[in-house]
Amino acid sequence: ANASLLCMYIFYTVPITTAQKFVEPLSLQKTFPRLYEFLEDSDSKFLSANLLSGLVGALLYTTFFALCPVLFKSIANSGSRATSVQEAEAYALRYYWGFMLVTAFVLTAFADAALAIWNSTKLEDTLQVMLKNIAASTPLGVSAIWLNWIIVRATMTLPLQYLITINSFAFDCIGWKCCARCVMGGGPGGPIPYRIYIDGGVVFLCVVALAPQSPLVAVAALLYF
């Protein structure tokens, strides 16, 4: 369990960061010049390369974080030595919260700075540059990523998953009656997914840590809650 958690905590950023770099405006201009020209020449104010880059980044984070509860619950069931389902879910809750708090929220800001320190010979100057880069990237980079994530969660994931229950309609459309009945629930309803507590805590953490530098995060968090 510890080895699986360590791999997730350290290496999860590699595929997401690579995919985000691939859809950045400069990368789109080099890789897909026609798509970039179409987005930039479009008369619509709601369609641009920057908007596409932010939306894709938010969808990547949303997709990955949607898989995290299943992964952490599997790790808790197999390696936590829990003696009951409730205890295993409590372990999964701790794993997921620790991942979101320490790794996803804090470690991402220090990853590039750590690489710069590793490649530099003047440690004192590098530490000063690291702190300046973190302070400069927080309102524009880190806040933008989590702002997009909050917007996608508030406008797409929560309404579709918990109000409309889109999964049951999707399974019903493709003819999977058994899966549609499983996700449909009934009676008092199914158990509350433990990831809802973590997502609410992360949004509150964004308000406390990022809203003073990026006030739009507070507005999106208000929409979320």
Side-chain angles (χ1 to χ4, degrees):
N2 293 332
S4 301
L5 290 173
L6 186 63
C7 290
M8 282 195 63
Y9 283 12
I10 296 177
F11 299 110
Y12 92 99
T13 57
V14 176
I16 296 179
T17 304
T18 303
Q20 280 186 312
K21 295 291 184 183
F22 188 72
V23 296
E24 285 183 350
L26 293 178
S27 300
L28 281 177
Q29 189 176 9
K30 296 178 181 179
T31 310
F32 301 104
R34 293 185 179 180
L35 177 61
Y36 180 80
E37 292 176 0
F38 170 76
L39 293 174
E40 292 299 315
D41 296 339
S42 176
D43 295 333
S44 176
K45 297 180 180 180
F46 300 99
L47 187 63
S48 65
N50 292 325
L51 179 62
L52 178 64
S53 177
L55 182 61
V56 170
L59 289 176
L60 286 173
Y61 270 89
T62 301
T63 303
F64 177 76
F65 292 148
L67 298 176
C68 282
V70 180
L71 297 176
F72 286 122
K73 199 166 186 178
S74 300
I75 295 173
N77 289 334
S78 60
S80 66
R81 298 181 181 179
T83 57
S84 64
V85 176
Q86 292 81 2
E87 187 178 358
E89 191 162 273
Y91 275 106
L93 187 69
R94 296 173 190 170
Y95 296 158
Y96 192 19
W97 174 243
F99 171 78
M100 296 295 288
L101 178 63
V102 178
T103 306
F105 202 81
V106 178
L107 190 61
T108 304
F110 287 91
D112 295 336
L115 292 176
I117 293 176
W118 179 265
N119 296 326
S120 177
T121 57
K122 297 180 179 180
L123 181 61
E124 184 177 355
D125 294 340
T126 306
L127 287 175
Q128 293 179 357
V129 173
M130 178 193 72
L131 295 177
K132 290 181 180 179
N133 291 337
I134 292 175
S137 64
T138 298
L140 299 178
V142 179
S143 297
I145 292 174
W146 289 104
L147 179 63
N148 289 331
W149 178 79
I150 294 173
I151 292 174
V152 171
R153 287 283 301 167
T155 59
M156 297 175 61
T157 306
L158 292 180
L160 292 177
Q161 290 289 337
Y162 300 110
L163 293 180
I164 304 178
T165 59
I166 192 65
N167 290 337
S168 60
F169 291 102
F171 286 134
D172 189 60
C173 289
I174 62 179
W176 294 4
K177 304 294 184 181
C178 179
C179 294
R181 184 64 189 89
C182 289
V183 299
M184 189 179 300
I192 299 175
Y194 75 90
R195 66 163 300 174
I196 290 182
Y197 303 107
I198 304 298
D199 290 342
V202 171
V203 174
F204 181 74
L205 184 64
C206 290
V207 174
V208 174
L210 301 178
Q213 291 183 305
S214 181
L216 287 177
V217 174
V219 178
L222 179 63
L223 174 64
Y224 178 89
F225 287 114

